[in-house]
Amino acid sequence: MGGWGRAALGAVVIAVVSACGPVPATVVDDSATVAATSTTRAPRIVDDSGRPDIAFDPCLDLPDDVMTAAGYDAAHKKFADMPMGSYTFLGCEYNKHDLVPGVRRGYGLNVLSGNVSLDEELEKNADVAIPTTVNGRSALREVDPTTTDTCRYVLETDFGIVIFSRLHYKDHPGPSAQSEWCAGMEHFVFSVEPFIRN
């Protein structure tokens, strides 16, 4: 089933799934690389929903050196924001090129920081969401068989949620094993969780 954000990483497109269907993302900047900072800043986008401002900006608050060390191409990350009026997501796209012949060509990763609640996310994706914790933070692990090759972790924050959605680029014809979709993802999410501002 649909979530707040769904990655179509092969085409470098993000769509937001709402009750009315998919809505294309608004790409604010598709080339900027900005160093992370620890100072408090005004969010790049606010909405008129009365929901909290988003305090964690994935493209600005995940350090480039940390993402590079995890194998993601931080030099070519892309802003992919979704101002929806009744809620907002600040997004960042990354690619990881780690070919394993016959298994995968790499991964695409979308990190979405939004001002919807974990309860709303659970209600929307209850059929695929498994409650868990990440470094003590309430979270969901989502593997939707209808969203082939995708693994998502959704972490609760004071302002809403942060979604780590990874697409497995297979290196063979036919379907990939569902066991491959989340391989290594838990370790990665645990390693970057401390950078999330509440």
Side-chain angles (χ1 to χ4, degrees), residues 12-102:
V12 194
V13 174
I14 299 176
V16 173
V17 177
S18 66
C20 298
V23 178
T26 300
V27 177
V28 173
D29 183 340
D30 65 358
S31 62
T33 300
V34 182
T37 177
S38 61
T39 60
T40 302
R41 77 177 80 77
R44 286 183 293 112
I45 299 174
V46 295
D47 57 46
D48 57 3
S49 67
R51 292 175 181 265
D53 289 345
I54 299 169
F56 172 75
D57 189 322
C59 270
L60 302 180
D61 294 328
L62 287 175
D64 286 351
D65 59 341
V66 170
M67 295 303 290
T68 299
Y72 290 94
D73 185 2
H76 295 96
K77 66 186 177 183
K78 296 181 180 181
F79 288 85
D81 301 327
M82 302 172 210
M84 303 301 295
S86 59
Y87 57 86
T88 296
F89 280 94
L90 301 181
C92 198
E93 299 176 359
Y94 296 88
N95 278 296
K96 180 176 187 177
H97 306 288
D98 62 342
L99 175 67
V100 178

Side-chain angles (χ1 to χ4, degrees), residues 43-194:
R44 286 183 293 112
I45 299 174
V46 295
D47 57 46
D48 57 3
S49 67
R51 292 175 181 265
D53 289 345
I54 299 169
F56 172 75
D57 189 322
C59 270
L60 302 180
D61 294 328
L62 287 175
D64 286 351
D65 59 341
V66 170
M67 295 303 290
T68 299
Y72 290 94
D73 185 2
H76 295 96
K77 66 186 177 183
K78 296 181 180 181
F79 288 85
D81 301 327
M82 302 172 210
M84 303 301 295
S86 59
Y87 57 86
T88 296
F89 280 94
L90 301 181
C92 198
E93 299 176 359
Y94 296 88
N95 278 296
K96 180 176 187 177
H97 306 288
D98 62 342
L99 175 67
V100 178
V103 178
R104 68 174 181 267
R105 291 180 290 116
Y107 297 110
L109 177 72
N110 280 342
V111 185
L112 303 169
S113 186
N115 57 358
V116 299
S117 71
L118 191 68
D119 287 341
E120 288 174 298
E121 172 69 15
L122 180 57
E123 182 179 350
K124 190 174 272 285
N125 290 313
D127 54 334
V128 297
I130 299 170
T132 186
T133 59
V134 174
N135 295 334
R137 186 188 295 266
S138 295
L140 302 171
R141 180 178 182 267
E142 298 177 350
V143 179
D144 183 349
T146 66
T147 310
T148 307
D149 297 327
T150 301
C151 179
R152 284 196 311 252
Y153 276 80
V154 183
L155 282 58
E156 186 174 38
T157 69
D158 291 346
F159 60 80
I161 59 175
V162 174
I163 301 172
F164 294 89
S165 181
R166 191 186 73 183
L167 180 62
H168 173 270
Y169 298 136
K170 63 187 178 182
D171 187 44
H172 56 82
S176 58
Q178 192 168 330
S179 61
E180 291 289 329
W181 300 0
C182 288
M185 182 69 165
E186 181 179 54
H187 174 75
F188 167 73
V189 173
F190 270 72
S191 72
V192 297
E193 180 277 335

